Amino acid sequence: MIRVSNLRKSFGDIEVLRGIDYEIEKGEKIVIVGPSGSGKSTFLRCLNLLERPTSGDIWFEKTRITDKKVNINAIREQMGMVFQQFNLFNNLKIIDNITLAPIKHKLQTKEQAVESAMNLLERVGLKDKAEAYPSQLSGGQKQRIAIVRSLAMNPKVMLFDEPTSALDPEMVGEVLDVMKELAETGMTMVVVTHEMGFAREVGTKVLFMDDGIIVEESNPQEFFGNPQSPRLKDFLSKVL
Amino acid sequence: MEFFDSLKAFFYSSIIEQDRYKIIISGLKNTLIISFFATILGIALGMIVAVTKYFAKGNGNVILKGFDKLCSLYITVVRGTPVMVQLFIWSLVVLASWTHAIPVACIGFGFNSGAYVAEIFRAGIEAVDVGQEEAGRSLGLTRISTMKYIVMPQAIKNILPALGNEFITLLKETSVAGYIAVNDLTMAGSIIKSNTWDGRIYFVIALIYLVMVMAISKVLKTFERRLAKGDKSK
């Protein structure tokens, strides 16, 4: 579904991604872990071109999205993204946060968009917050809304950039629950996280990134039970 | 008592006699007309310039880069020269064929204000968290839609106090319009003074400006409070 080939990204003189090759199949739940500064968020942000790669290619289904001629907005409609800082639109009510994009893309009429938004809100238990503004919600609520906002576009894949890192500890669970539920629906997911429990439980593949490359990649049992590289062993010994 | 008698005499000769208050009213009207249209022109120009500069940043498009350069030149020139000199250039050179002074003044002040408003808008746009735009773009919204529905509304809320100050400055700055033969409020004072030889008329003029400025401040405060509704806890 997503294929990445020799992806490199530099910020000034610093090369953050130093050649990444990877292929994500439909329905997979890829969990990316690694120390901070390892390039995992940058990698994720390259997948929908929020960061433009310095070199290398990314294919989404049959489209080479790194081609300058590709309409990236049409691609992004199909790739949802959830941010560490939630990034709900502060000037809009929750219901408008969710329905803005589907309405502007003319995927749905306003009535349809509101109806499906309310259904999604019900699924995450926040139907009563439809008329609230983002500033009136807790971090966990904001992040659940952010997930709903992405889902309202009916994406084919969901990208999560450290979705629980900015949350108070007691709110991490409610967000992970929504993500687990989403995983059960068969959604293709790419998740950058520090939640090792989530990686073990939900991931179909776990990737360990360090210093701009994928150091190790395997299924969760192997990854946590039988790590190969010294760097991963060292990392796991610190976080587990 | 002498003081009050003299004050009464002043009021009579400067305001009542020969319907001189009518001069003030028509001057006030012109000041308001110029301020109003200059403000609108200033906001329009300022917003266009700020958005152009925002879109030109990190975009390789040659046409956009050209506009960006033009905008920078505009800001530099306008902010680097006195408004009165600009006004003379409008009225004596660029728009010399226009017979009415008020439209010239509207354009002159609006063009001037636009450069300052552009900088205010730029700061306001930059103050909006970059995550807001990223979220918009990640949903497949274009840069223009993201600007229109998400970034700009928040930017306007940020800059309202600064924008208010700019309107107030503009309103007071129009007092030099008399130099290009506009009978504005200040000019009305001068006309009356030249008839009565009583400089105290400028107290009246000052008071009228002050009341207008206070009224604008009040309206803006109310407006700000209403807009702040969305982010109480932030």
Side-chain angles (χ1 to χ4, degrees):
Chain A
M1 177 176 235
I2 301 176
R3 191 151 66 83
V4 179
S5 153
N6 197 23
L7 181 69
R8 287 169 185 275
K9 172 72 185 176
S10 303
F11 293 105
D13 293 337
I14 303 158
E15 196 170 33
V16 181
L17 297 179
R18 300 186 300 126
I20 298 212
D21 295 276
Y22 200 71
E23 192 157 355
I24 298 164
E25 302 290 342
K26 191 168 187 298
E28 277 196 294
K29 288 91 178 90
I30 308 294
V31 181
I32 306 172
V33 301
S36 38
S38 59
K40 51 194 193 309
S41 281
T42 306
F43 172 47
L44 191 77
R45 289 161 57 86
C46 279
L47 295 181
N48 66 353
L49 296 199
L50 275 187
E51 303 289 354
R52 266 217 174 258
T54 312
S55 67
D57 282 307
I58 300 166
W59 280 265
F60 177 69
E61 297 187 314
K62 297 217 156 40
T63 318
R64 189 168 71 94
I65 63 172
T66 36
D67 185 340
K68 284 244 157 54
K69 289 194 263 320
V70 165
N71 176 10
I72 187 60
N73 294 324
I75 302 294
R76 284 177 180 149
E77 284 181 38
Q78 306 170 54
M79 303 173 101
M81 186 162 202
V82 175
F83 299 85
Q84 182 176 354
Q85 298 296 338
F86 330 125
N87 295 349
L88 294 183
F89 304 134
N90 295 325
N91 58 317
L92 299 178
K93 285 177 185 167
I94 298 308
I95 189 72
D96 298 323
N97 260 275
I98 301 168
T99 57
L100 176 71
I103 293 172
K104 292 303 164 201
H105 287 301
K106 303 208 177 5
L107 299 179
Q108 290 170 313
T109 64
K110 188 160 195 288
E111 290 72 31
Q112 289 168 332
V114 169
E115 194 189 323
S116 48
M118 292 310 279
N119 287 335
L120 284 166
L121 281 174
E122 187 153 36
R123 245 170 76 185
V124 298
L126 291 170
K127 205 174 177 182
D128 57 324
K129 299 293 183 193
E131 295 298 315
Y133 280 93
S135 59
Q136 297 164 325
L137 305 185
S138 72
Q141 292 173 329
K142 282 187 203 174
Q143 197 60 301
R144 285 186 278 160
I145 301 287
I147 294 171
V148 164
R149 178 176 68 178
S150 289
L151 289 178
M153 291 294 289
N154 269 321
K156 292 179 178 164
V157 55
M158 286 281 285
L159 312 175
F160 292 85
D161 187 4
E162 303 200 24
T164 57
S165 296
L167 295 175
D168 290 336
E170 76 269 24
M171 292 172 182
V172 170
E174 63 190 67
V175 171
L176 290 180
D177 286 345
V178 171
M179 290 169 65
K180 282 175 197 162
E181 234 172 81
L182 182 61
E184 279 160 22
T185 65
M187 175 66 75
T188 310
M189 293 163 73
V190 186
V191 185
V192 171
T193 187
H194 295 293
E195 293 294 328
M196 297 303 149
F198 180 83
R200 201 192 300 255
E201 196 179 328
V202 180
T204 53
K205 290 266 176 56
V206 186
L207 269 56
F208 175 63
M209 278 186 72
D210 192 17
D211 209 14
I213 52 167
I214 297 174
V215 177
E216 192 160 337
E217 181 240 313
S218 53
N219 63 47
Q221 291 80 13
E222 278 289 304
F223 189 89
F224 292 104
N226 186 20
Q228 301 295 314
S229 70
R231 274 195 282 178
L232 176 55
K233 283 178 190 164
D234 180 51
F235 177 72
L236 290 178
S237 73
K238 280 175 190 155
V239 296
L240 289 181
Chain B
M1 271 347 270
E2 205 177 305
F3 174 73
F4 288 104
D5 284 343
S6 134
L7 206 59
K8 232 160 80 186
F10 155 70
F11 266 108
Y12 182 76
S13 69
S14 292
I15 311 270
I16 315 285
E17 200 176 21
Q18 292 182 23
D19 288 347
R20 290 203 168 107
Y21 65 90
K22 282 186 180 160
I23 301 175
I24 294 179
I25 286 170
S26 98
L28 176 62
K29 197 184 80 192
N30 288 342
T31 289
L32 287 173
I33 288 172
I34 294 168
S35 303
F36 179 75
F37 286 105
T39 296
I40 295 203
L41 181 60
I43 291 179
L45 269 174
M47 200 189 275
I48 290 168
V49 168
V51 170
T52 303
K53 291 189 80 63
Y54 180 76
F55 283 151
K57 208 164 38 174
N59 189 312
N61 189 316
V62 182
I63 300 166
L64 210 53
K65 283 271 178 258
F67 275 115
D68 181 48
K69 284 266 185 320
L70 199 65
C71 290
S72 300
L73 182 73
Y74 161 67
I75 291 174
T76 309
V77 169
V78 167
R79 299 210 305 173
T81 53
V83 63
M84 244 181 78
V85 176
Q86 291 169 23
L87 223 47
F88 283 137
I89 292 172
W90 284 111
S91 91
L92 301 175
V93 185
V94 184
L95 302 177
S97 60
W98 291 23
T99 47
H100 296 287
I102 289 174
V104 176
C106 293
I107 288 174
F109 285 111
F111 192 79
N112 179 268
S113 175
Y116 294 91
V117 173
E119 288 295 274
I120 293 172
F121 266 103
R122 189 182 57 78
I125 291 169
E126 278 172 10
V128 175
D129 179 26
V130 66
Q132 296 285 309
E133 187 185 2
E134 285 184 350
R137 301 307 308 281
S138 80
L139 289 164
L141 297 172
T142 61
R143 282 197 91 178
I144 292 174
S145 294
T146 307
M147 173 55 74
K148 186 168 151 197
Y149 299 113
I150 298 156
V151 179
M152 190 52 88
Q154 297 183 48
I156 288 176
K157 191 154 65 179
N158 291 343
I159 64 178
L160 217 56
L163 217 47
N165 281 338
E166 172 59 23
F167 299 156
I168 288 169
T169 307
L170 178 62
L171 175 76
K172 292 183 293 176
E173 241 173 22
T174 59
S175 64
V176 299
Y179 286 97
I180 59 164
V182 175
N183 286 329
D184 74 319
L185 182 57
T186 305
M187 195 61 180
S190 304
I191 293 167
I192 292 170
K193 198 219 98 188
S194 66
N195 289 325
T196 61
W197 293 104
D198 190 335
R200 282 178 292 182
I201 185 65
Y202 287 114
F203 278 123
V204 178
I205 302 297
L207 188 68
I208 297 173
Y209 277 110
L210 184 63
V211 168
M212 286 195 288
V213 167
M214 284 164 68
I216 294 174
S217 301
K218 181 111 181 131
V219 170
L220 286 165
K221 277 263 157 53
T222 320
F223 204 53
E224 265 171 56
R225 215 171 302 140
R226 195 172 308 165
L227 278 179
K229 203 178 55 181
D231 49 9
K232 255 172 265 163
S233 67
K234 253 205 141 175

